[in-house]
Each structure stands twice: as C-alpha cells, then as structure tokens.
Amino acid sequence: MSVPITADRENEVVQAAPTQLFIDGEWRDARRGRTLEVFDPSTGRVLTRAANASPEDGWDALKAAEAAQKGFERTPPRERAEMLMNAFRLMHERKDDLALLMTLEMGKPLAESYGEVNYAAEFFRHFAEEATRISGGYQTAPAGGSRFLIHKQAVGPSILITPWNFPLAMGTRKLGPAIAAGCTSVLKPAELTPLSMLALADILREAGVPAGVVNILVTSSAGEVIEPLIRSGIARKLSFTGSTPVGRRLLEQCSEKVLRTSMELGGNAAFVVFEDADLDKAVEGAVLAKMRNSGEACTAANRIFVHSQVMDEFSQKLAERLGRMKTGRGVDEETAVGPMVDARQRDKVAELVEDAVRSGAKVVLGGEPAAGEGYFYPPTVLTGVPEGARMWSEEIFGPVAPLTPFDDEKEVIDRVNDTEYGLVNYVFTESLNRALRVAEQVESGMVGINQGAVSNPAAPFGGIKESGLGREGGDTGIEEFLETKYIGIAM
Ligand code: NAP
C-alpha cells in the first residue's frame, strides 16, 4: 500500500488478468468470437477486452454445471470445506493483484478494495466452517408409532448473478454457501466489472474446485443469455444481487419452473440521529454509511434524519468532514472518494441533486459533477431536502448526503418506514431503550445501532419488503442452497 502504483504496475496486473469465459474448468473464447470492452471509470479509457458470451455459451455453462452436480454433491463436506479454505488462503496471497484489478475496473479507492478482498475471502472461511456443520434430525412422531428423519440435500445447479459495486464479495457471498452445500453454479458478474470474478475463477481452480462446479459467464446480453437458462428446468435455484426492477423481472421468470430464489435487491436506508446522540460518533457513522464505496452501496444512507435541536451542529460537522475527503483515482493513496462507475451513474447522481435543489434543498457542500476525464462526483451535503424530492424515494448511489429535520420519535419512525424498501436502517442515540424500541419498529432486515456498517459474513444479511427475499451469510446463508428432505419411517 505504501509503494505508489505506477502505470507499469497497472498494465502488468491488467495484462495478467484472465479475460476468457470459464466453462467446465477451462478458459475459452466466446463461441461467436464476440468480445466486450472493460473500462477504467477514473479515466473513461478501455482497460482490456473480455470474451462476451452469447446464449450458446450460456447453455454450455449450464450443461457443465448439470453434469458436475451429482458427483459434487456427494463429495465429503470436509473436502468442500478444504476447497474453500484453500481459496481463502489464495485470495490473501494474491490480495495485491486482486485489489488493484478491482480498483482499476470499478474505481473504488485501493484501501477499500483491500477491505473488499478481505471481506470477500471471509465468506469462504465462514462457509468452509459451515460446510461441515450441515445438520439434520431424528424425532418421534407426536402420536408415536413412526419416526421422522430430516435430511439436508444440495438444491442443485444454481444461477448466480452479481452487480458491479462489490465485484468480488457479492460473488463469494453466493459461491461460498453454494460450494459448501454441494451446489454447482453458473455465475454471471456485471458487464462493467467482470475481471475480479474471472480472477477468482483461477483461484477456485487452483484451490481444487472440480471442473464444471463453478462456471463464469461474462456477457453484454444478460437477458438473452440468462432467461433461457432460468426457464430450462435444469437450474434449480437463482441467487440474484442487483436492482429491484431487474429482481422483479427475474422472479417472474423463475415462477415458470418454480425455482428457489434468493433476492438481494435495492435499498433506501434511513440514518437517524437523535438529540441525545454522541454527535462525533454519529458523524463518523454517517461518513461510513454514506461514503463507503463512494456511496455506491445498497446499504448506503439515502435519507439522513437529524433531530432539529442538533441539525445545525451535525450538518456543519458532516460537511467539514466530507469536505476533507479527496476525490481522485482509486490508485492514488490520498484518494478517499473514487469515480462513479460510469457516465450514466454520474449523470443520475447529478440529476437527483438538481431535482432536490429545484424542490428547495440547500447545498452545503459540493453539488456539481467534476469536469475533466473520468466520472467523478464530489462529496455533497444537502439540507432541507423535501420528501417530494426524487432522491427521497430513489437510490442515489453516489456521495450525496441529504439531510432533513425531525422532532419526535413516532414521527421519525413513520417517515423511515415510508418507503417500499426495507434493507437496513441506522439509529444513533445514547439511550439503550430508545435504540431497541426504534430498532424493533423500523421495517428493515438489518439495523445498525451507533454504527454505520452492518455487513459481516457471520451475520444474516438481507432485506424485507421490496429489498429482497432470503439471507446471505450467517448460519442461514447455507440454508438458501439446501433442500430439507423428510423421510418417514414406520416402526
Ligand atoms: P442491476 O442493473 O439490477 O444488475 C445486476 C446484475 O443483473 C448485473 O449482473 C446485470 O448484468 C444483471 N442483469 C441485468 N438485467 C438482467 C436480466 N434481464 N437478466 C439477467 N441478469 C440481468 O443492478 P446494478 O446496477 O448492477 O447494481 C446496483 C443495484 O444492486 C442497486 O439497486 C443496489 O442496491 C443493488 N445491490 C443490492 C445488494 C444487496 O445485498 N441487497 C448488494 C449490492 C447491490 P449487466 O450489468 O451485465 O447488465
């Protein structure tokens, strides 16, 4: 980290990165020979080209997963655990290359990419431990006479789809439990950030994961390639992380063959600062909840409610803190805020800010996209954002903190819950009773109390309402890839 990253080092990592499709344990070009461009969002320039799958490649990948399924689900759990532990170790050995590759294709500051490599690897360690703890049961029927045997089995070939904002961790959060449970898979990373997942495929191969167990498909035609696989009847499960509109469409497709589904969808997190909060702690919490990944996170604080008694002090402290965060290329050591992932994302952030200002919000910091190359938007603080502003109901996905005052607990709970999303909310107060009272009443799958980050591989991550179905991580994550079989025994 302390050695500056040179252009030669950037080139070396990009040149060494795999760019082909990974199907049935082999690297190969797309059947129609198509490729797509991968960009560096901090310059807008092409980094490299990657193979671009068409529907025929999709079929090859799913057939490989189907062929490998029966053998893989019979491997001893300890062997699957060892594959995951090997992959965990290899990720740590290669963390410098993985982190740099991620920063180059996605833009996040290098320190955050190191954080993600570590977080992503932890899913492998966590699920290595879970693989050997898959349990069942044996019980007497209430009326006596017969016995119930409860057995857990792999769901079967799974389709895994991941977004661009956490290019490695969203994949390992699915692959870890799939491998632990004995499921084979076809994983489709986002077109914008395929290189991290392709680099991981190499690691999984070296870690001893057999051919066909994990197949990676990169494509610019997601719908055309994935829909026939979902409707095929071969895949038994879809695990998707991405936006709510795409998740909704995929759920419809899954209904045809009644696939098991796990859906990690969009968020609209509230961040609530009560009048008795430790304001310095709350500011640091807001920096984390808002600025992690430059605001491009489903868990990002999208609506910040501040008690009117402390609004002036909190907004000044937050603006002062965010004003010190330097925007720049993720490879530069001083950079705290990287570029938005592409021009579309940057323009959407700018549009939402313009809309809020037109509706009456006041700009305390930032407020204009940066000129020049790359897709930068600076840290921005807005006060008095009216609830009719679009950013109150749409994910901002950028480094913009919209603040609004509130006066009492019941009022703020109602306002927090006034959204179709329910992923996470954050509460800052020094009162334990109030913290728990509010945590129980807000409608979300997760709540952070006096902390601005909740993600942990050992905790159940997921949302309610239109933020999703199911949980990843924790001791429930592996259940998403297991079926429960009941065997009745007459005695
Ligand atoms: P997205 O547009 O929904 O895309 C997510 C993934 O779905 C990408 O791989 C995308 O492929 C693929 N996809 C798009 N259309 C598809 C289709 N018709 N069939 C099959 N696959 C399709 O979301 P995004 O913009 O990449 O990611 C941001 C969203 O993800 C935000 O809403 C964020 O909140 C959510 N997210 C949620 C969580 C969570 O755990 N709840 C975590 C991270 C992100 P291409 O990109 O190649 O088109």
Side-chain angles (χ1 to χ4, degrees):
M1 272 295 297
S2 49
V3 183
I5 304 292
T6 61
D8 283 350
R9 169 81 180 120
E10 290 181 28
N11 282 335
E12 176 196 292
V13 164
V14 171
Q15 293 311 317
T19 54
Q20 291 172 292
L21 306 177
F22 185 70
I23 297 177
D24 207 10
E26 290 183 350
W27 293 106
R28 51 177 247 200
D29 291 330
R31 282 213 193 195
R32 293 185 198 168
R34 294 195 312 170
T35 57
L36 54 80
E37 292 174 326
V38 184
F39 295 90
D40 176 346
S42 69
T43 61
R45 289 198 283 266
V46 175
L47 276 177
T48 186
R49 301 188 74 90
N52 184 359
S54 49
E56 300 90 314
D57 301 298
W59 278 111
D60 289 347
L62 187 60
K63 292 278 183 195
E66 181 186 31
Q69 178 60 47
K70 288 287 171 240
F72 189 58
E73 71 188 39
R74 283 195 289 265
T75 52
R78 174 79 69 210
E79 276 181 29
R80 301 200 297 268
E82 274 161 12
M83 291 169 201
L84 289 170
M85 278 311 292
N86 292 342
F88 167 81
R89 284 190 210 99
L90 286 166
M91 286 180 78
H92 278 280
E93 274 170 30
R94 302 202 188 147
K95 64 178 190 300
D96 293 340
D97 288 2
L98 288 172
L100 181 52
L101 195 59
M102 190 188 303
T103 287
L104 290 173
E105 69 171 345
M106 190 271 166
K108 69 179 75 184
L110 199 49
E112 290 200 37
S113 292
Y114 273 98
E116 183 175 341
V117 173
N118 185 47
Y119 174 56
E122 282 303 323
F123 282 104
F124 283 168
R125 176 153 69 172
H126 174 74
F127 285 106
E129 290 160 353
E130 292 292 310
T132 57
R133 310 266 183 277
I134 299 169
S135 59
Y138 182 74
Q139 87 185 65
T140 305
S146 63
R147 299 290 183 269
F148 302 163
L149 195 60
I150 311 299
H151 180 52
K152 298 283 176 74
Q153 289 182 318
V155 168
S158 302
I159 298 173
L160 316 177
I161 302 178
T162 57
W164 48 262
N165 59 346
F166 293 98
L168 260 188
M170 297 301 97
T172 59
R173 197 160 78 169
K174 299 183 190 306
L175 287 169
I179 292 171
C183 293
T184 62
S185 58
V186 175
L187 187 147
K188 194 206 83 61
E191 177 189 354
L192 290 173
T193 57
L195 302 179
S196 298
M197 201 41 60
L198 292 172
L200 186 76
D202 227 9
I203 285 177
L204 290 170
R205 190 166 52 110
E206 261 185 78
V209 174
V213 169
V214 174
N215 305 277
I216 312 281
L217 276 184
V218 173
T219 180
S220 64
S221 1
E224 207 192 324
V225 172
I226 297 295
E227 184 170 354
L229 308 187
I230 291 178
R231 294 190 189 278
S232 67
I234 295 173
R236 292 310 322 151
K237 157 106 197 164
L238 172 72
S239 177
F240 171 77
T241 299
S243 61
T244 297
V246 173
R248 204 177 276 125
R249 202 173 324 140
L250 294 176
L251 277 171
E252 279 172 25
Q253 294 172 14
C254 287
S255 69
E256 185 178 332
K257 297 289 181 189
V258 196
L259 263 59
R260 284 274 301 268
T261 54
S262 303
M263 293 277 154
E264 295 289 350
L265 308 178
N268 184 7
F271 187 99
V272 184
V273 183
F274 281 97
E275 69 278 19
D276 64 347
D278 175 329
L279 283 197
D280 292 328
K281 227 195 270 176
V283 167
E284 284 315 308
V287 170
L288 194 56
K290 181 71 256 181
M291 303 304 288
R292 178 167 172 245
N293 225 32
S294 309
E296 294 174 314
C298 54
T299 51
N302 211 59
R303 300 169 294 155
I304 303 181
F305 295 91
V306 185
H307 194 279
S308 44
Q309 280 173 23
V310 293
M311 175 56 104
D312 285 349
E313 191 183 346
F314 180 83
S315 58
Q316 279 160 20
K317 283 187 166 187
L318 184 65
E320 193 272 324
R321 181 70 175 74
L322 297 191
R324 280 192 275 129
M325 295 181 82
K326 190 172 172 301
T327 304
R329 289 195 75 212
V331 291
D332 297 336
E333 210 170 342
E334 324 80 73
T335 294
V337 186
M340 301 292 89
V341 76
D342 61 7
R344 201 170 61 127
Q345 191 59 37
R346 188 231 9 231
D347 295 347
K348 179 173 177 217
V349 173
E351 212 179 276
L352 290 178
V353 171
E354 279 163 28
D355 169 78
V357 171
R358 260 199 314 274
S359 320
K362 182 170 158 249
V363 179
V364 180
L365 179 74
E368 294 277 347
E373 70 170 15
Y375 311 121
F376 293 96
Y377 200 95
T380 293
V381 176
L382 304 176
T383 52
V385 180
E387 297 199 6
R390 279 176 55 199
M391 64 170 63
W392 220 250
S393 50
E394 291 178 36
E395 283 187 291
I396 304 169
F397 247 57
V400 177
L403 272 53
T404 189
F406 73 93
D407 289 305
D408 82 62
E409 190 180 305
K410 158 118 189 33
E411 168 216 336
V412 80
I413 291 171
D414 289 345
R415 289 168 71 193
V416 165
N417 290 341
D418 185 20
T419 170
E420 68 270 26
Y421 292 106
L423 188 62
V424 61
N425 290 301
Y426 306 91
V427 182
F428 278 71
T429 170
E430 290 297 289
S431 156
L432 177 63
N433 281 355
R434 172 184 266 164
L436 294 178
R437 209 164 49 227
V438 175
E440 285 184 13
Q441 290 179 74
V442 292
E443 296 166 354
S444 54
M446 301 175 288
V447 181
I449 296 177
N450 293 327
Q451 61 177 25
V454 292
S455 307
N456 189 310
F461 187 105
I464 61 171
K465 296 162 80 176
E466 294 180 32
S467 286
L469 296 169
R471 294 292 179 269
E472 292 189 316
D475 55 3
T476 43
I478 195 166
E479 294 291 334
E480 303 277 326
F481 290 89
L482 290 169
E483 291 290 6
T484 299
K485 182 176 275 176
Y486 149 55
I487 303 168
I489 310 163
M491 296 290 275

